[in-house]
Amino acid sequence: MKHQAAWLVIAFSTLCAGLWPAAGHSVPQCLSTWIAPGQRTVTPAEVTGTSQEKLVLLGHHPKDGNNYGNSLPDNGYVLTGDKVDLVTTCEGYAYVRFHGAKRVSTGWVDASRLQTTGPAYLPMPAHAAALCHAAEETLNRGEQLQHLGATAMDPKVLEALHLDPGWNASPAQVAHMTVEGRSLAATSIDSGGTCHSTTVYVLSGDLKSKLSPADRDDRDVENQGSDSWAFGVSEDLVNVLGQPMVMSSDVGSSTFHLSVIDKNGDIVPTCQGDLVDLQQRRIIASHDDDVCHAMLAGQQTPVALQSPTPGQSLSLKQQPDSFVAAAVHDSSHAATQLRFHDNARAAEVEYTLNATGDADLDNSGKPRQIGLVSFFEGDSSAGCGDYSDTQVVPVYLDEQGRADPSNVANQGLASALPHGMEDGRLVTYAGKTYLELSPKLHGPSSSVWTIDAKGPSEVCSYQLKHYVVRPISG
């Protein structure tokens, strides 16, 4: 499971700070583990003082009582008249970011040496709207954003830069780029573990120095202050309109972010992307236009199905070797529900016979007793814990009223039908039986199938969602 080495040190030090009080003072409540996580705005300020008077950028707040904070090196200094971004304040000190000629420097300073020069604002590239629009158009064409070409990175270079992949990490790679005429490089470091997470760091073009600021993790667009913010985060290097960007998302989330890499190596949050429902479904693929448009118009007739009768049941004679039987929670469903634990995926499995009835499922002209069975596998404790699989399949019942998804005929149906579906409906139109499948319970169908002697075949495919990518808000 994922935790950067630095985060482990922070977590251990924070724990120690809670167990042993700091000598001479207590840690201020305003001094949290992360510096302004989730905050997007900064306030413009100017350093005051006598001419050329230095103001040291402290690596830690003077009242930070943990050993890790005290071990952080100073991050240089700023001079009277320098323009800085004021991020946050805490007990007489301010955390600032200084955009120098070649890099961004950060640190705590004496707040009395700062004078704000304007209202809080959201740092944003001038061409943010164009970048977000281009990303949205690419994704809605069904294409992936272009990944930056990368090559293997020498482990000795990583060691020199104090970038340590995890014990189970994929080999690090490096991508070279040019931003506003400056040669840069970036690498995505895999923290390994059983839940892989990747974090992008920006380097100088010659790979001799790390340009990502000291507050790179604090200000990460995915960091909202949770102790496990980096658990399962994926950060990749992409190219949008020739602009190198970091594409990031959290495990199991349909929301993603795009952040510009600027010439100083800073990673600037720029766009937020979401998958949202379309107001009206669109036909993606059609093998029978009349059927597909009729289904959209609601001209189909539902096949009459009902809850399983007392004499009907669900069985699974052929089950995977990794499945171990588990008890059904509700005894009233014992005949129509099967539960297992999948040792291979450390996940829970559930089959449910939802409804039964008579239908001409295979369009042979001979109705048979059929049922609709739903399959769920999830609640996994392996990896990032996000493994999930669902499917809804029609099955034939045998003469004793048993529905067995593992028998030859039913297995043939299951193997041909798509996964990721949570709901299914049998309908008729123009004298034929069709199966509508939906990825959402009681939701609109994303595909329509017909079944004959050769097995299932897809007739219609519908688009239910599209991407909306907009400049990030404060």
Side-chain angles (χ1 to χ4, degrees):
M1 292 188 177
K2 196 270 183 191
H3 288 286
Q4 292 286 358
W7 164 236
L8 289 175
V9 175
I10 294 172
F12 180 73
S13 301
T14 303
L15 175 64
C16 292
L19 294 176
W20 294 284
H25 57 74
S26 60
V27 177
Q29 288 187 347
C30 55
L31 193 63
S32 61
T33 300
W34 303 104
I35 299 171
Q39 177 183 313
R40 300 286 158 254
T41 59
V42 295
T43 302
E46 182 176 321
V47 179
T48 62
T50 60
S51 178
Q52 296 297 302
E53 184 179 0
K54 293 182 179 180
L55 180 61
V56 176
L57 296 166
L58 301 174
H60 70 285
H61 192 287
K63 292 188 178 181
D64 189 343
N66 68 68
N67 292 330
Y68 175 75
N70 292 329
S71 70
L72 294 173
D74 293 342
N75 198 8
Y77 60 89
V78 287
L79 299 172
T80 299
D82 279 341
K83 304 295 190 295
V84 296
D85 289 336
L86 171 59
V87 177
T88 189
T89 59
C90 180
E91 290 206 358
Y93 285 83
Y95 192 86
V96 300
R97 310 183 93 230
F98 174 65
H99 297 263
K102 295 184 178 181
R103 67 186 308 147
V104 175
S105 300
T106 65
W108 291 97
V109 299
D110 183 349
S112 66
R113 291 282 309 276
L114 295 182
Q115 180 177 346
T116 59
T117 58
Y121 73 101
L122 180 67
M124 185 73 68
H127 56 322
L131 291 170
C132 300
H133 180 69
E136 179 180 279
E137 287 196 324
T138 299
L139 293 170
N140 283 329
R141 287 196 302 268
E143 302 172 11
Q144 298 294 317
L145 299 183
Q146 180 185 4
H147 282 262
L148 289 178
T151 57
M153 195 170 187
D154 187 344
K156 292 182 179 179
V157 174
L158 287 176
E159 184 178 354
L161 294 170
H162 304 291
L163 293 174
D164 303 315
W167 61 269
N168 191 33
S170 301
Q173 294 192 318
V174 62
H176 290 271
M177 64 197 76
T178 300
V179 179
E180 295 183 38
R182 186 181 184 188
S183 175
L184 299 176
T187 183
S188 186
I189 300 298
D190 183 352
S191 66
T194 55
C195 177
H196 289 259
S197 297
T198 52
T199 307
V200 168
Y201 293 91
V202 184
L203 317 172
S204 59
D206 59 9
L207 307 183
K208 292 184 178 179
S209 60
K210 182 170 66 175
L211 298 182
S212 290
D215 65 348
R216 181 248 170 276
D217 286 353
D218 301 81
R219 303 283 285 168
D220 191 292
V221 68
E222 302 297 337
N223 187 356
Q224 302 298 316
S226 167
D227 286 346
S228 58
W229 77 267
F231 183 83
V233 166
S234 172
E235 297 188 349
D236 299 306
L237 293 160
V238 297
N239 187 323
V240 180
L241 296 181
Q243 170 70 58
M245 303 188 79
V246 177
M247 185 175 186
S248 59
S249 61
D250 200 356
V251 62
S253 174
S254 60
T255 296
F256 67 91
H257 296 94
L258 290 167
S259 303
V260 159
I261 297 176
D262 73 12
K263 67 176 182 179
N264 289 342
D266 204 11
I267 298 174
V268 185
T270 305
C271 310
Q272 177 172 313
D274 296 278
L275 261 180
V276 300
D277 292 331
L278 286 168
Q279 291 185 350
Q280 186 173 358
R281 290 179 295 170
R282 299 171 184 165
I283 297 176
I284 299 174
S286 168
H287 295 282
D288 189 324
D289 288 348
D290 177 55
V291 171
C292 296
H293 286 285
M295 297 290 181
L296 278 179
Q299 297 174 6
Q300 64 273 48
T301 301
V303 172
L305 298 178
Q306 57 280 323
S307 298
T309 64
Q312 295 171 333
S313 62
L314 179 66
S315 64
L316 195 70
K317 290 185 177 180
Q318 302 295 325
Q319 65 188 51
D321 293 337
S322 61
F323 279 20
V324 177
V328 175
H329 296 307
D330 187 346
S331 59
S332 64
H333 295 156
T336 58
Q337 192 174 87
L338 299 172
R339 295 187 68 249
F340 302 92
H341 179 78
D342 184 355
N343 288 332
R345 292 190 172 96
E348 304 306 314
V349 177
E350 187 173 285
Y351 292 86
T352 303
L353 178 60
N354 296 308
T356 61
D358 292 328
D360 184 13
L361 182 62
D362 60 359
N363 293 291
S364 63
K366 299 178 181 179
R368 292 176 58 181
Q369 198 172 50
I370 61 93
L372 281 177
V373 173
S374 62
F375 165 81
F376 165 81
E377 181 167 13
D379 300 329
S380 174
S381 59
C384 297
D386 62 325
Y387 175 78
S388 180
D389 186 18
T390 57
Q391 191 179 28
V392 175
V393 296
V395 297
Y396 295 106
L397 274 60
D398 64 18
E399 294 180 355
Q400 287 73 42
R402 290 187 299 243
D404 184 355
S406 68
N407 72 29
V408 175
N410 293 333
Q411 183 58 41
L413 295 175
S415 62
L417 291 170
H419 287 247
M421 300 298 170
E422 291 192 7
D423 206 355
R425 297 176 289 274
L426 286 174
V427 299
T428 59
Y429 173 73
K432 291 188 67 175
T433 302
Y434 296 89
L435 172 66
E436 290 190 88
L437 294 173
S438 173
K440 184 179 180 181
L441 196 62
H442 308 305
S445 62
S446 61
S447 62
V448 177
W449 294 71
T450 185
I451 300 170
D452 58 23
K454 296 180 180 179
S457 60
E458 189 175 36
V459 181
C460 314
S461 177
Y462 301 113
Q463 180 182 353
L464 303 182
K465 297 176 177 290
H466 71 146
Y467 285 97
V468 174
V469 186
R470 297 289 185 267
I472 200 168
S473 65

